[in-house]
Amino acid sequence: MSGQTVLELRDVSVRRGQRTILGPLNFSITAGERWVVLGPNGAGKSTLIQILATRTFPTTGTVSILDKTMGRVDLFELRTRIGICGALVAEDIPYEEKVLGRWNEAYDLWDESRAVALLTTFGVRDLADREYGTLSEGERKRVQISRALMADPELLLLDEPAAGLDLGGREDLLKRFLIFASDPAAPASILVTHHIEEIPSGTTHALILKEGQIAVSGPIRDVITSEHMSAVFELPMEVSFDGSRFFARARQLATPFRTTGA
Ligand SMILES: Nc1ncnc2c1ncn2[C@@H]1O[C@H](COP(=O)(O)OP(=O)(O)OP(=O)(O)O)[C@@H](O)[C@H]1O
């Protein structure tokens, strides 16, 4: 499936009132690619992901997802092919729904074993009989990712999957995500995050938004650099890469800090 276009945005923009809050954007991804979208607060990340999730229509331009053009197809059918994890779907899951319950009732044994395998991959197999509303933030995130994958989507959208997790929870999730992403059959994905430390290993491409525009995009090692991050966040930054993950810190000030009497 590699090489096939999974989504394409042409001259896409979103206007709210007198202001263009996103775009115009031109952007495409192909099967097998795993993208991360970064950018300062207010850059347009949520607006972009809402369009990709077919929850928001752009003011101008064309959005094609999985060979279907928004505005010309039945969105309900298209949505079944897109897995979504994050704030966009958090409120769609009823408080009292069992983590595995809906799948037990409506699907056959093969579906159920797939669901159990996914809950196992993301470390929440033991929660299968719990009510969703009783789960912790970290447990909910893992259940959301498992559920997003249960319908075998062709495109996976992850909206800040590690937000709200403690350090152990974040690292565990990233490790599990790597196991999933190493599967050649895993769908193309787009992950939105505020922090480069939350970019999972195996991410192939990055797009940085600034003030609604693409500041830089392309292969991840070319995009996530000290130069680009410093320019976009308007703060001198040192970005390092340890072979699989990225880390960022502000550069030391020129004048060293002195303690009194030293
Ligand atoms: N309905 C709206 N009316 C007016 N402005 C809006 C509307 N929705 C979003 N905006 C503005 O559009 C810009 C982009 O918002 P968006 O939420 O997409 O940014 P973001 O990158 O997700 O930000 P954050 O990192 O803070 O979550 C912001 O300046 C926001 O205030």
Side-chain angles (χ1 to χ4, degrees):
M1 191 165 157
S2 185
Q4 230 171 290
T5 302
V6 172
L7 71 86
E8 185 169 24
L9 270 55
R10 261 185 265 136
D11 299 323
V12 164
S13 70
V14 175
R15 255 195 311 273
R16 292 289 177 258
Q18 297 300 307
R19 195 177 149 217
T20 298
I21 62 169
L22 188 72
L25 298 186
N26 288 285
F27 165 61
S28 67
I29 81 168
T30 56
E33 292 180 346
R34 301 189 203 301
W35 283 75
V36 61
V37 176
L38 291 154
N41 290 132
K45 302 177 298 294
S46 302
T47 309
L48 175 62
I49 203 128
Q50 278 167 13
I51 291 173
L52 302 181
T54 74
R55 302 301 208 268
T56 294
F57 270 84
T59 314
T60 67
T62 315
V63 180
S64 302
I65 303 174
L66 303 168
D67 280 336
K68 306 286 180 196
T69 303
M70 268 174 78
R72 293 190 213 148
V73 289
D74 174 2
L75 286 185
F76 290 101
E77 191 273 330
L78 181 56
R79 283 177 190 162
T80 62
R81 301 168 66 196
I82 305 171
I84 303 171
C85 159
L88 280 168
V89 290
E91 286 167 16
D92 291 355
I93 305 176
Y95 182 97
E96 65 287 350
E97 186 166 301
K98 291 272 167 58
V99 166
L100 193 64
R102 197 162 63 94
W103 297 87
N104 272 334
E105 290 155 18
Y107 294 85
D108 64 22
L109 269 181
W110 186 86
D111 287 320
E112 191 187 326
S113 64
R114 175 182 167 78
V116 169
L118 282 164
L119 290 176
T120 305
T121 299
F122 287 98
V124 282
R125 166 71 185 88
D126 292 346
L127 304 177
D129 294 325
R130 285 270 299 276
E131 290 182 349
Y132 179 76
T134 66
L135 305 181
S136 77
E137 183 67 22
E139 291 164 347
R140 284 182 199 199
K141 283 277 165 58
R142 293 166 189 215
V143 168
Q144 280 176 25
I145 298 182
S146 310
R147 290 176 67 131
L149 290 165
M150 283 177 194
D152 201 11
E154 292 157 79
L155 173 64
L156 179 64
L157 304 176
L158 299 149
D159 187 11
E160 296 197 58
L165 302 191
D166 66 23
L167 186 58
R170 178 186 89 179
E171 292 302 305
D172 184 69
L173 184 71
L174 288 171
K175 209 171 61 193
R176 291 176 189 278
F177 196 77
L178 177 62
I179 296 168
F180 148 76
S182 319
D183 180 349
S189 59
I190 301 179
L191 180 147
V192 173
T193 180
H194 282 104
H195 304 291
I196 68 171
E197 291 79 3
E198 294 176 2
I199 301 175
S201 307
T203 303
T204 59
H205 291 75
L207 180 151
I208 306 183
L209 285 173
K210 186 176 187 186
E211 294 168 6
Q213 305 277 339
I214 297 178
V216 51
S217 76
I220 193 159
R221 294 296 307 279
D222 298 343
V223 172
I224 311 290
T225 63
S226 301
E227 184 195 348
H228 290 148
M229 298 302 283
S230 302
V232 169
F233 289 90
E234 296 176 11
L235 179 75
M237 261 193 251
E238 203 68 56
V239 170
S240 58
F241 180 67
D242 72 356
S244 65
R245 301 265 305 277
F246 291 90
F247 301 89
R249 55 185 287 190
R251 281 208 183 109
Q252 292 289 349
L253 296 172
T255 314
F257 176 75
R258 286 173 197 275
T259 53
T260 40

